[in-house]
Amino acid sequence: MKVAVVGLGHIGLPLAVQYASRGHTVVGCDVDARIVETLNRGQSPHEDEAALVERVPQLVADGRLRATTDDAAGVRESEVVVIIVPVVVDEARRVDFSHIDAATRELARGLQPGTLVIYETTLPIGTTRTRLGPMLEEGSGLRAGEDFHLAFSPERVLVGRVLLDLARYPKIVGGTTEEATRRAVAFYESALEPGTEIRALASAEAAEMTKLAETTYRDVNIALANEFAQVAARRGIDVTEIIAAANSQPYSHIHQPGVGVGGHCIPVYPHLLFSAEPDMHIPPAARAVNDGMAAFAVGLLGDALGSLAGVDVLVLGIGYRGDVHEDFFSSAFGLRDALVARGARVFGHDPYFDDEHIRRRGFEPYDLAAPVPVRAAILQAAHGAYRDLDFRAIPGLEIVLDGRNALDRGRVEAAGLRYIGVGR
Ligand SMILES: NC(=O)c1ccc[n+]([C@@H]2O[C@H](COP(=O)([O-])OP(=O)(O)OC[C@H]3O[C@@H](n4cnc5c(N)ncnc54)[C@H](O)[C@@H]3O)[C@@H](O)[C@H]2O)c1
């Protein structure tokens, strides 16, 4: 089949490579001319996965994969259109549809009768049918469910291992009509690895809610672990011991506490769910708990040092998670704000970001090779580079706050330092 993938980002490019690898002829559409030119030169525009770098040259040389900046032209020649352009939230966590609206209006101009259109971007419930469908109809003059087929299928993969995850997670599919569901199932059977489970749900709305449910579940579960950690801290109990023991019972799946939850997904998707559901109590409360963990951890540090006024503190890891080169909604920012509010001076270090980036984010860049005195260090992102960090090399250091319960407590204490974990 001829397939258009609209949005050749960290998820869209591996999707295009996957479909082309199964023998489809794929055109990737992206507004970013650099991405399009790089791909058409036969190089992978992203290097997240070794398989992309390996496969793109051959697929392009074979004519199975190419790219265009013209969404409408790519869609005009395609039987299936997969859209994976982001929906984001702003600083106030209001949902911003501008990218997907623009892509939808643009691609609608090229939409042909009989085309199957599948949105894969995580969306609030009902968006495919009631927001994007009418835009496609208006731009094309065609009717959804009659002239073209419209479905939703959430992307559940992780950046860096998309091709692997595509082959091992069931593909959830829901159409706006039974025919759209049937066609979407048939498409994924032909485009994903043989044997991948394709699971048809009753509707596009059910498929939209599935992705919001699985990510909100994780946020709520982490919030519960964080409240357990606060109880444990008050009671002098080690929460990591409690969680390991509780999870030895097969119905208990408690996640891990920490100084907060960052990234594009877990702190974002609950808002896509509950912003339209004012009667929901648990997800908004969980969000507040998780966002409050940075201030809670800084409070522990303040208690241990007496006061943080004028104290130099080092935050290790600006990224939102260990070994990722991305700091979207990172908990490092909550720590920074809570430390500044208590009068501390905040240094930041991250092997994945340069000094200029770290300074722009409001931290004084810190050089571990030429360390200046700080009284406290907080492990925010458990980068591999910090696993064997010799804390004795940091002058003036008295205390280490292990924000991910990832350090070897014995090593920290053997260095003559005080160790505080989250709930330990
Ligand atoms: N990143 C993840 O870990 C992840 C995981 C699961 C699902 N998802 C879903 O995938 C979506 C995309 O994520 P990503 O990481 O690939 O984002 P990304 O920012 O890497 O890529 C998005 C691409 O869309 C392009 N784009 C923007 N407007 C466009 C338009 N009008 N026409 C064509 N292209 C346009 C951008 O230039 C960019 O290349 C997310 O919003 C999310 O719903 C992401």
Side-chain angles (χ1 to χ4, degrees):
M1 275 189 267
K2 291 183 174 166
V3 182
V5 174
V6 180
L8 278 183
H10 296 281
I11 306 293
L13 177 70
L15 295 183
V17 167
Q18 170 65 37
Y19 307 156
S21 302
R22 287 292 319 272
H24 296 301
T25 302
V26 181
V27 57
C29 310
D30 203 293
V31 288
D32 186 333
R34 186 199 62 85
I35 290 179
V36 168
E37 282 160 20
T38 308
L39 188 123
N40 285 338
R41 268 202 313 274
Q43 286 170 9
S44 175
H46 306 301
E47 296 181 357
D48 306 319
E49 282 176 89
L52 298 178
V53 179
E54 285 161 22
R55 286 199 222 168
V56 164
Q58 195 60 51
L59 291 170
V60 172
D62 291 348
R64 293 243 159 268
L65 178 62
R66 65 189 172 81
T68 175
T69 51
D70 187 340
D71 289 355
V75 167
R76 190 168 293 119
E77 62 185 68
S78 300
E79 297 148 83
V80 179
V81 179
V82 171
I83 300 123
I84 184 83
V85 165
V87 166
V88 293
V89 295
D90 64 14
E91 278 294 316
R93 317 266 167 123
R94 280 181 304 246
V95 185
D96 174 1
F97 292 99
S98 57
H99 299 294
I100 206 154
D101 284 356
T104 299
R105 289 203 179 92
E106 186 56 30
L107 75 89
R109 296 193 302 112
L111 196 60
Q112 298 300 306
T115 306
L116 169 64
V117 179
I118 309 173
Y119 284 91
E120 290 209 1
T121 302
T122 306
L123 297 174
I125 302 166
T127 304
T128 304
R129 191 189 305 268
T130 61
R131 182 185 187 97
L132 302 171
M135 279 184 201
L136 291 172
E137 291 179 335
E138 193 185 316
S140 65
L142 303 173
R143 299 282 304 159
E146 292 171 22
D147 305 319
F148 69 95
H149 307 281
L150 180 60
F152 179 79
S153 175
E155 207 38 86
R156 314 165 80 198
V157 295
L158 282 193
V159 170
R161 51 171 224 214
V162 175
L163 293 164
L164 184 70
D165 286 349
L166 280 174
R168 63 183 181 174
Y169 296 160
K171 191 75 179 119
I172 304 296
V173 175
T176 54
T177 59
E178 280 180 26
E179 179 64 10
T181 305
R182 201 184 58 71
R183 285 176 184 246
V185 168
F187 167 66
Y188 286 118
E189 277 169 355
S190 74
L192 300 180
E193 289 307 297
T196 306
E197 183 190 345
I198 317 292
R199 193 176 300 183
L201 303 196
S203 63
E205 289 75 12
E208 288 166 336
M209 186 166 168
T210 299
K211 172 79 183 185
L212 301 179
E214 69 194 33
T215 48
T216 301
Y217 160 77
R218 292 187 59 203
D219 201 41
V220 168
N221 193 325
I222 293 166
L224 187 63
N226 280 333
E227 287 208 322
F228 289 158
Q230 295 183 26
V231 172
R234 283 194 290 273
R235 300 275 183 159
I237 301 170
D238 183 339
V239 77
T240 59
E241 191 184 37
I242 307 307
I243 292 172
N247 286 355
S248 68
Q249 205 278 353
Y251 295 109
S252 181
H253 305 281
I254 305 164
H255 289 7
Q256 294 301 321
V259 288
V261 184
H264 295 274
C265 301
I266 308 299
V268 171
Y269 297 150
H271 290 277
L272 269 54
L273 176 66
F274 68 70
S275 62
E277 299 293 335
D279 291 339
M280 287 195 98
H281 299 301
I282 295 172
R287 274 285 68 244
V289 168
N290 290 339
D291 279 349
M293 285 308 287
F296 169 75
V298 167
L300 295 178
L301 206 57
D303 293 346
L305 288 174
S307 160
L308 291 174
V311 172
D312 291 330
V313 180
L314 169 61
V315 174
L316 290 165
I318 307 300
Y320 73 78
R321 164 157 67 80
D323 292 316
V324 298
H325 181 190
E326 179 63 78
D327 62 1
F328 197 73
F329 284 137
S330 172
S331 308
F333 308 138
L335 290 171
R336 174 201 62 200
D337 294 346
L339 288 164
V340 168
R342 286 170 174 254
R345 183 151 75 119
V346 191
F347 290 87
H349 176 272
D350 194 301
Y352 294 95
F353 295 107
D354 61 22
D355 285 359
E356 198 194 318
H357 182 96
I358 290 172
R359 191 170 284 116
R360 263 204 317 273
R361 295 292 196 246
F363 300 85
E364 189 66 36
Y366 193 86
D367 185 356
L368 284 173
V372 297
V374 290
R375 284 183 69 195
I378 303 176
L379 181 83
Q380 191 286 128
H383 295 322
Y386 297 143
R387 204 170 300 131
D388 299 321
L389 186 67
D390 182 6
F391 286 103
R392 282 173 304 196
I394 299 176
L397 192 62
E398 297 169 33
I399 186 162
V400 175
L401 195 154
D402 183 359
R404 301 293 166 196
N405 292 342
L407 295 170
D408 180 341
R409 177 179 198 146
R411 273 192 71 219
V412 174
E413 289 175 342
L417 303 171
R418 184 156 170 210
Y419 173 97
I420 310 177
V422 180
R424 304 185 77 185

